[in-house]
Amino acid sequence: MQFITFMTYNPSISAFSFLDMPQKDPCQKQACEIQKCLQANNYMESKCQAVIEELRKCCARYPKGRSLVCSGFEKEEEEKQTLKRTPQ
């Protein structure tokens, strides 16, 4: 889970304090839609390509590491880049 840190001022002790608040994953909705689709289609990935593409689009809108549900796509992309750099 990712956190956003908020800084607050406490006048009674003349100090700042930090509050960590959980941050909602921006692509969680699309990840849930994939799960629903897979369950409805006996886990046949080919039947869920449209919702998988929606998650990819969502992931592309955010910086690397911002969305936990996008980490699989990020790892996949890193592996592709590594293969491109490897001489064959």
Side-chain angles (χ1 to χ4, degrees):
M1 179 177 287
Q2 296 180 346
F3 291 88
I4 295 178
T5 301
F6 291 94
M7 188 169 60
T8 59
Y9 182 72
N10 185 338
S12 63
I13 59 172
S14 298
F16 287 95
S17 62
F18 294 91
L19 301 173
D20 286 332
M21 304 289 289
Q23 185 176 2
K24 186 177 184 312
D25 192 306
C27 299
Q28 182 68 43
K29 178 182 174 199
Q30 289 82 357
C32 290
E33 291 300 318
I34 289 173
Q35 290 303 312
K36 287 180 199 174
C37 181
L38 290 170
Q39 288 172 353
N41 291 288
N42 293 324
Y43 294 90
M44 292 180 63
E45 192 176 314
S46 61
K47 301 244 180 194
C48 300
Q49 290 303 306
V51 290
I52 292 170
E53 186 57 32
E54 287 304 310
L55 177 59
R56 285 186 185 278
K57 288 178 185 177
C58 181
C59 292
R61 288 193 296 263
Y62 296 95
K64 183 179 175 182
R66 170 63 178 86
S67 170
L68 182 61
V69 300
C70 296
S71 60
F73 290 140
E74 291 167 0
K75 184 175 170 91
E76 183 180 275
E77 188 59 34
E78 286 172 7
E79 289 170 358
K80 284 181 187 176
Q81 294 301 320
T82 300
L83 287 174
K84 283 182 182 178
R85 290 188 296 248
T86 305
Q88 297 192 13

